[in-house]
Amino acid sequence: MGRGGRERKGQPGARALDVAALAGVSTATVSRAFNAPEKVAPEIREKVLKAAAELGWMPHPAGAALASRRTWLAGVLIPTLDNDVFASQVGALQTRLSADGVTVLIGCSNYDADQAANQVRTMLARGVEALAVVGESHRPGLFETISARGVPYVVTYSHRPGSPHPSVGFDNAAAFRRIARHLLDLGHRDFGLIHQPSIDNDRVVARIEGLRAALAEEGVALRPPHVREGPASIAFGRESLRSIMEAPGPRPTAVVCGNDALAIGALIEARALGIGVPEELSITGFDDVAMAEQTDPPLTTMRVDNAEIGRRAADYLLACLAGRQPPPPPPLESRLILRASTGAPTAPRVLSDAQRSL
């Protein structure tokens, strides 16, 4: 309310000087309240914000950036928007950065390395001060380009021992080794694998390597007809499970899937083929999406705290922007969630002609 109890309307031509006069502070304090709020006492900043709101005044972003020699922008590069995993990660990162006045620009590569490189170049041209990039598999020179600009960056959703990059994530190879070990301990020796495209995807490559290494320790190998690579979708999971189970030779008693969507598709197709899960076939997923607990049977899968990845990535970048030299973030631990889609193998059953024709 203004003087005399009248409501003060926003003034189209309001200036920082007007805000300062209404709040009873200097124009420098008004500038700091918006551009360096940590330098202003909370009660003073509240008075400035209230005055600015009454006058309908906002600092000009270009002017603020010029005055502070900062853009207050950070970039995030993800491979797809069609995945809860990355949505959770970006949401948490954005929440943490915005609390410090940093706005997030999001680039999506659609799993295309050239698009990824173009997105990074565009964000650098827009003046981003920090970058979070999913994965290490990118076009040669990408990280060197970022470093040459003096822009701090962090790799997310991956934490590879010996990596030259600061990373916030988990060991993908170790996560798949843990899944394989669980199935091997149950007594499985015939395996199938359904996974996402591995080109330019270091996370998928690491998972496959982890699975193969764990199986090799027990003298077990994946047969080529039992390995399927394609879109990370329910439809591909269904198609792949049918192809694997109809391949000549011994049928797998366990199928490892690269994510929960593929695993849910495999569960649906197993039911359509009359294959009991887990009595005749064990199926595992990855990510522990909300639907994983609601399938029939509930899905054994690997849980990763994607929101925590986003928060840790933001904290690392904020520390860099504050002029500190933070140590490399420690890896997160993935957690195997045991549910009813895995069990000890039983004697295999041959598909009938009627089931094959479904």
Side-chain angles (χ1 to χ4, degrees):
M1 299 292 285
R3 291 183 178 88
R6 291 176 298 174
E7 184 177 357
R8 185 184 296 270
K9 302 293 185 182
Q11 298 180 14
R15 302 167 299 168
L17 187 65
D18 301 316
V19 175
L22 181 57
V25 300
S26 68
T27 53
T29 298
V30 172
S31 176
R32 284 194 294 271
F34 281 91
N35 300 320
E38 72 281 359
K39 297 181 179 179
V40 181
E43 63 274 14
I44 299 298
R45 183 168 184 264
E46 184 62 29
K47 289 174 61 177
V48 172
L49 295 179
K50 183 179 179 181
E54 286 190 33
L55 295 174
W57 179 85
M58 285 290 291
H60 191 281
L66 183 62
S68 66
R69 297 184 180 274
R70 292 194 58 181
T71 63
W72 299 91
L73 297 174
V76 179
L77 179 67
I78 58 176
T80 179
L81 293 169
D82 190 26
N83 193 318
D84 290 345
V85 166
F86 301 117
S88 175
Q89 184 182 131
V90 171
L93 180 142
Q94 179 171 293
T95 297
R96 187 63 60 91
L97 290 179
S98 64
D100 274 56
V102 179
T103 298
V104 174
L105 303 182
I106 300 174
C108 178
S109 69
N110 295 307
Y111 290 101
D112 183 307
D114 290 328
Q115 280 194 45
N118 289 335
Q119 293 277 355
V120 167
R121 283 195 293 267
T122 298
M123 287 190 281
L124 289 172
R126 294 287 180 89
V128 296
E129 300 179 326
L131 273 165
V133 179
V134 171
E136 295 186 72
S137 292
H138 293 282
R139 287 288 180 258
L142 178 74
F143 293 109
E144 289 77 6
T145 298
I146 298 171
S147 296
R149 295 288 191 98
V151 172
Y153 70 89
V154 64
V155 170
T156 65
Y157 207 63
S158 177
H159 200 289
R160 178 175 60 87
S163 171
H165 309 293
S167 304
V168 178
F170 58 98
D171 188 329
N172 281 273
F176 254 45
R177 282 197 297 269
R178 198 171 302 122
I179 291 173
R181 191 69 260 168
H182 164 62
L183 294 168
L184 287 164
D185 289 345
L186 287 173
H188 293 279
R189 292 298 182 270
D190 293 303
F191 285 76
L193 171 63
I194 307 172
H195 66 86
Q196 310 93 314
S198 57
I199 296 176
D200 296 323
N201 193 326
D202 53 288
R203 288 88 62 206
V204 170
V205 170
R207 294 178 191 181
I208 296 171
E209 290 175 350
L211 175 66
R212 290 186 184 276
L215 297 183
E217 291 173 359
E218 301 293 335
V220 177
L222 290 164
R223 297 178 59 236
H226 293 165
V227 178
R228 298 273 295 173
E229 176 175 349
S233 66
I234 291 174
F236 186 70
R238 291 197 66 171
E239 171 194 325
S240 297
L241 193 280
R242 176 177 287 271
S243 174
I244 288 171
M245 300 310 284
E246 291 182 345
R251 287 168 40 192
T253 59
V255 172
V256 177
C257 297
N259 71 0
D260 288 342
L262 292 169
I264 290 169
L267 283 172
I268 294 171
E269 191 62 23
R271 171 166 289 190
L273 293 171
I275 299 171
V277 176
E279 297 81 11
E280 299 174 82
L281 179 68
S282 288
I283 296 175
T284 64
F286 201 101
D287 292 328
D288 195 28
V289 299
M291 184 61 71
E293 194 174 7
Q294 306 303 321
T295 56
D296 183 19
L299 184 64
T300 290
T301 186
M302 189 66 74
R303 178 182 296 167
V304 177
D305 191 342
N306 294 292
E308 182 63 16
I309 291 177
R311 286 188 288 268
R312 290 192 188 185
D315 288 343
Y316 178 83
L317 294 176
L318 287 171
C320 292
L321 291 175
R324 300 195 296 273
Q325 294 183 328
L332 276 75
E333 287 296 323
S334 53
R335 179 184 169 198
L336 183 61
I337 305 299
L338 299 178
R339 298 196 180 104
S341 70
T342 53
T346 59
R349 178 170 58 87
V350 178
L351 288 179
S352 68
D353 290 340
Q355 289 170 325
R356 291 179 183 277
S357 64
L358 287 174

